[in-house]
Amino acid sequence: RQQGWETVEVDLPSPQLVLSAHYAIAGYELVRYQDLRFKTLAKHGKNVQAIIKRARGYSDRDYRIALAARDASVGSAWRLFDDIDLLALPTTPTVAPEPGTETFRLDDRTVDAVSGAIWYTALFNDTGLPAVSVPFMGQRGLPIGIQLVSQWGQDNLLLDVAEQIN
């Protein structure tokens, strides 16, 4: 507002639905890449091995459903820019959790730290819309960020505004 921008509130697609599709797609594709690239899981650490083993549960049908859900999110996200030039929102829904935190409360539910970290960013990673996070120091000396998102072809606007608020 101080820079002369008008602000309006918009509704984003549900983070839970976005993350559900995100994990199914990423997991399915991870397993397919793993199977093409490596003969065993031995070259991976235990955490990655566990992720791959869990991701083997995604079927071809799960993948197709997740792709359709992602496509719906893409349409919803792109339509936001019918009425706005730039979207500004928190990069994450909370300040950085303390080191070693595995879960926290978010929107009246317990979420794992990884899901919480990508709560707002996964949508734009999956839709291909340009986004940038501008860091700030928050409460307790922990970093927070403002995520700016623009429509395709508006990268210069996005970076100009990011520079103005940094």
Side-chain angles (χ1 to χ4, degrees):
R1 287 185 204 151
Q2 292 173 349
Q3 299 294 326
W5 290 86
E6 177 186 352
T7 60
V8 296
E9 289 192 23
V10 297
D11 292 320
L12 297 175
S14 163
Q16 297 92 341
L17 295 176
V18 169
L19 286 174
S20 176
H22 176 83
Y23 283 131
I25 294 166
Y28 183 90
E29 291 176 355
L30 170 66
V31 167
R32 298 314 171 270
Y33 178 79
Q34 154 61 38
D35 291 348
L36 286 172
R37 180 79 168 93
F38 304 101
K39 295 191 186 300
T40 71
L41 298 180
K43 292 193 178 212
H44 303 298
K46 288 181 183 181
N47 289 343
V48 173
Q49 288 181 25
I51 291 168
I52 292 170
K53 287 176 184 175
R54 227 179 10 254
R56 288 198 184 281
Y58 291 115
S59 67
D60 292 346
R61 182 176 184 277
D62 295 331
Y63 183 63
R64 286 192 305 273
I65 291 169
L67 288 174
R70 183 193 61 192
D71 291 348
S73 293
V74 168
S76 295
W78 284 34
R79 279 190 297 279
L80 289 171
F81 295 97
D82 289 348
D83 299 317
I84 64 173
D85 296 312
L86 195 72
L87 181 64
L89 68 157
T91 303
T92 60
T94 67
V95 296
E98 296 293 335
T101 300
E102 294 183 16
T103 63
F104 56 88
R105 297 289 296 166
L106 183 60
D107 288 349
D108 297 326
R109 65 177 39 92
T110 300
V111 299
D112 66 274
V114 173
S115 293
I118 64 172
W119 195 255
Y120 294 138
T121 58
L123 172 63
F124 306 110
N125 291 337
D126 291 350
T127 59
L129 290 167
V132 63
S133 178
V134 181
F136 293 92
M137 289 307 286
Q139 304 166 357
R140 305 182 322 236
L142 296 172
I144 60 171
I146 295 193
Q147 180 178 206
L148 302 173
V149 184
S150 69
Q151 59 185 313
W152 274 66
Q154 296 298 315
D155 303 49
N156 287 337
L157 171 66
L158 177 71
L159 295 174
D160 287 347
V161 174
E163 185 176 46
Q164 287 177 19
I165 65 172
N166 191 5

